[in-house]
Amino acid sequence: MMKLSPALLSLASVFKIPLRPYTILPAPSLLPKPFPSKTPFSTSSVSLARKDQRNKVDKRITLIRYHLNHPATPRPLRFSRLRALRHWTIHRAAQLHLHTQRRLEQLELERQYNAMRAACEELRVGLDDGGRLYRQTTTRKGLFGGLKMEGEIVGNGGVPIEYAKAQVDGPPRGGWDHGWMR
Amino acid sequence: MAASKVPSRLLPFSQKQKFVCLRCQWTTRRSASTYTIETDLSEDVVPDSSLLTPQPDQDIVTAWDPVQRSRNRKRQLPPSRYKFRPPRYYRGPLHPHQPPSPSSPNSRLFVPGPFSLPRLQQTYTSTLAPDLLSLLYTHHPPGTLPGPTGQRLRGWDNTSPYHKNRPLRGPRGRAVLPLMKRPITFRNIPRLEKIVVHHVIRSSDNRDSSYLHVAGMILQAVTNVRATVCKARHSIANFKMTKDVTAMAVKAELKGEDMYCFLSKVVDVVMPRIKEYKGVSGGSGDGSGNLAFGLQPSAVGMFPEVEVNYDMYPPKMIPSVDVMVCTTATNDRDARVLLSSMGIPFHGKHAN
């Protein structure tokens, strides 16, 4: 038996590692195994005998099943009084912050809307061109649906595809990619 | 003391406080001392209520000293005496034992977050919403209303005397009443509401649950939402379907952060890499602002979460996926403008 240090022993006891004495296994004998003495019960040939015909499940699927059946929700957090208060304070503050942000966005949109309406009204009535400029401004041609050019539909229904890029923090490393298309 | 308020609706009309607004009336509390037995209760109210229980004796009140009592206690109370325990079952809003509110972390419904501001969401609030507002703006001169709305439910021509008092007819050709079209203002700019990603299992694969499991796993990996299994709604013997037993589909409903992340993944990563991709069919949509498109298994394999360990899934079982984008737009036209401004290309004839 191998000698183990007491530190290792205590670690093994902590982590519940079973300590097995290291033994040398006997080498597998190279001699052929003895022929089974019992005669098979069936007289049919071996090839006809049924192999293991249970459909074997892919190991990946077994793994997926294992992870899908992960025991559900952990128990909810339990906070002490002070921690709960702290959480409550932060939660309220975050909600308030979100609320003010949303309200500011709403107000900004409202301001823009009112400005647009005032401008349209000015164009319609204020200029003495019989509302010509107003009509030109408020036309919505090509906004919805593909623009038809020479029998085929071009474009993305009014909104150019170059416009539809999510905002990023900075410019790309390689500058403007002229070959970019979608 | 807790039972000292009598809802005023239980009192007869003569007893109700007059000249008090309804809200004040509801919050009015009557203390037990002002409550007289002479109040004629209606017959629905039990006369011998707890309101009429006499107060405890004075010596009991003076002898009541909870602080001293707790000091005299030799050992600590068991936790069950001082800890709040949420009810196992929700017994309705009127039950005194209520679960914690969903915003408190003690609740099982508590969802922490939001932890991030997805780029698409940020783009929407800062750029897309004002642009859509100006794109979809229709001018109505002050004092005028948007034109008369057509007849929504059709009436009967009074050719027959039996038409009298008949209810109005439904819309022609369909069972669902189409939504009203309202002018877009700063209040109702179309925005994303939710996205449902689902995969319908082929009936030939229905016997083998592994297709279901792999599809569920992929949906979960891609959308960050636990996929739920949809069961058959009807029993059909020919298809070997049993109601509420046979699994038909897996689906994941995305909202908020997950929704924006998923859509930006589809737009920025998956769609540009699909070979010969023309775009989403312009004819998609249910007429009320919900558009849908499908992704082939090869496209689903291109999601970064799937691609990164593609070998984890049996390649034959990678599902094709339907994506339903629900917007707050009331017609498909506005919804299409919204989605195309988010980067989804549309092709073909646009059904507006």
Side-chain angles (χ1 to χ4, degrees):
Chain A
M1 167 121 187
M2 204 170 57
K3 267 256 176 180
L4 287 173
S5 70
L8 258 184
L9 277 174
S10 64
L11 270 181
S13 70
V14 164
F15 291 118
K16 308 263 167 64
I17 301 169
L19 280 177
R20 282 196 214 92
Y22 179 75
T23 48
I24 298 167
L25 291 171
S29 61
L30 297 174
L31 292 173
K33 281 180 184 173
F35 195 77
S37 58
K38 277 183 182 174
T39 49
F41 181 73
S42 165
T43 52
S44 55
S45 63
V46 181
S47 61
L48 283 180
R50 292 189 133 205
K51 294 273 179 190
D52 189 10
Q53 284 204 342
R54 286 172 301 172
N55 41 357
K56 285 192 177 158
V57 181
D58 194 342
K59 272 186 186 170
R60 297 175 285 192
I61 293 170
T62 315
L63 208 62
I64 284 172
R65 280 181 179 147
Y66 172 80
H67 285 287
L68 275 179
N69 284 332
H70 193 287
T73 346
R75 70 165 174 75
L77 286 174
R78 300 229 187 280
F79 282 166
S80 72
R81 189 177 308 162
L82 274 181
R83 285 198 165 199
L85 269 176
R86 225 175 286 156
H87 170 86
W88 183 84
T89 313
I90 295 171
H91 178 78
R92 289 305 311 153
Q95 294 299 102
L96 269 176
H97 173 66
L98 284 180
H99 176 77
T100 38
Q101 236 179 6
R102 245 176 274 140
R103 205 172 134 268
L104 285 181
E105 281 159 16
Q106 273 291 321
L107 283 178
E108 176 64 12
L109 286 175
E110 184 174 358
R111 190 192 62 74
Q112 289 174 2
Y113 180 82
N114 289 338
M116 240 177 344
R117 205 179 50 180
C120 279
E121 200 49 34
E122 184 63 26
L123 281 181
R124 192 176 70 93
V125 186
L127 313 177
D128 286 336
D129 60 347
R132 182 168 164 273
L133 207 53
Y134 166 72
R135 264 177 277 119
Q136 283 179 358
T137 319
T138 51
T139 179
R140 313 173 92 194
K141 207 173 177 185
L143 170 57
F144 308 110
L147 202 64
K148 257 201 169 167
M149 289 181 77
E150 292 151 14
E152 60 174 323
I153 290 161
V154 181
N156 200 9
V159 183
I161 196 72
E162 290 84 3
Y163 170 84
K165 273 187 143 183
Q167 284 171 1
V168 287
D169 293 333
R173 220 174 287 152
W176 179 259
D177 181 12
H178 288 276
W180 179 80
M181 54 190 295
R182 188 178 276 153
Chain B
M1 283 296 137
S4 63
K5 68 176 172 189
V6 178
S8 62
R9 72 193 148 108
L10 296 183
L11 294 174
F13 183 73
S14 58
Q15 290 293 318
K16 280 187 184 172
Q17 292 175 337
K18 284 161 189 170
F19 312 114
V20 175
C21 74
L22 203 63
R23 190 189 167 126
C24 305
Q25 217 176 47
W26 278 107
T27 52
T28 305
R29 287 162 187 255
R30 292 191 64 165
S31 58
S33 58
T34 64
Y35 196 81
T36 51
I37 306 175
E38 283 87 66
T39 313
D40 49 336
L41 295 167
S42 76
E43 56 189 11
D44 296 338
V45 179
V46 184
D48 306 326
S49 72
S50 58
L51 299 168
L52 306 178
T53 2
Q55 296 272 334
D57 292 335
Q58 195 55 39
D59 47 339
I60 293 181
V61 171
T62 48
W64 174 253
D65 188 4
V67 178
Q68 193 56 42
R69 205 179 147 188
S70 71
R71 279 199 190 122
N72 289 346
R73 203 173 282 131
K74 287 285 185 301
R75 60 177 81 135
Q76 206 190 358
L77 279 175
S80 59
R81 290 280 298 277
Y82 59 88
K83 268 189 180 167
F84 170 72
R85 206 165 153 220
R88 177 168 289 228
Y89 309 108
Y90 181 59
R91 295 186 180 89
L94 296 181
H95 198 270
H97 196 190
Q98 288 286 324
S101 75
S103 68
S104 94
N106 296 347
S107 167
R108 286 195 181 269
L109 303 175
F110 176 65
V111 180
F115 292 114
S116 68
L117 178 63
R119 264 169 49 179
L120 193 59
Q121 193 182 355
Q122 149 75 21
T123 314
Y124 177 79
T125 48
S126 67
T127 315
L128 296 188
D131 288 356
L132 286 176
L133 177 64
S134 53
L135 266 182
L136 302 174
Y137 174 78
T138 39
H139 187 66
H140 300 292
T144 59
L145 291 171
T149 48
Q151 204 179 19
R152 302 199 74 208
L153 288 172
R154 294 173 299 149
W156 301 86
D157 50 340
N158 287 320
T159 50
S160 159
Y162 294 108
H163 286 167
K164 214 168 205 179
N165 287 336
R166 275 196 190 172
L168 296 174
R169 285 183 291 175
R172 196 188 293 273
R174 61 171 106 173
V176 186
L177 199 59
L179 295 179
M180 296 268 284
K181 278 176 195 132
R182 288 193 168 174
I184 301 273
T185 64
F186 56 94
R187 288 254 178 243
N188 56 358
I189 305 172
R191 60 166 199 279
L192 286 187
E193 199 176 21
K194 82 175 173 183
I195 293 181
V196 182
V197 187
H198 85 149
H199 163 69
V200 180
I201 289 153
R202 279 175 297 177
S203 55
S204 57
D205 302 338
N206 226 339
R207 287 281 158 159
D208 189 2
S209 67
S210 53
Y211 286 87
L212 188 79
H213 294 153
V214 172
M217 195 58 165
I218 286 186
L219 278 194
Q220 194 175 316
V222 161
T223 61
N224 191 24
V225 168
R226 175 80 178 190
T228 49
V229 178
C230 303
K231 298 288 175 65
R233 289 195 290 174
H234 307 284
S235 296
I236 301 173
N238 290 347
F239 297 151
K240 292 177 183 165
M241 270 165 47
T242 319
K243 188 183 173 187
D244 293 335
V245 172
T246 315
M248 304 303 294
V250 271
K251 71 161 181 180
E253 281 192 18
L254 321 178
K255 284 186 175 180
E257 264 177 300
D258 293 333
M259 172 179 75
Y260 284 107
C261 286
F262 176 76
L263 195 67
S264 54
K265 255 183 294 183
V266 167
V267 167
D268 295 332
V269 182
V270 176
M271 275 182 176
R273 291 171 64 194
I274 301 176
K275 275 180 192 167
E276 305 287 326
Y277 190 58
K278 287 188 290 183
V280 176
S281 162
S284 90
D286 65 346
S288 50
N290 306 322
L291 304 182
F293 55 91
L295 294 174
Q296 292 293 316
S298 56
V300 173
M302 282 191 272
F303 274 97
E305 294 88 355
V306 181
E307 197 182 28
V308 87
N309 51 3
Y310 189 80
D311 300 337
M312 197 177 100
Y313 312 101
K316 266 195 286 182
M317 292 186 181
I318 288 183
S320 61
V321 148
D322 293 326
V323 181
M324 269 163 251
V325 187
C326 304
T327 63
T328 57
T330 51
N331 49 0
D332 289 348
R333 206 172 63 167
D334 295 348
R336 210 169 286 119
V337 170
L338 170 71
L339 288 194
S340 60
S341 70
M342 284 180 171
I344 292 184
F346 287 94
H347 85 278
K349 199 178 176 218
H350 292 202
N352 286 329

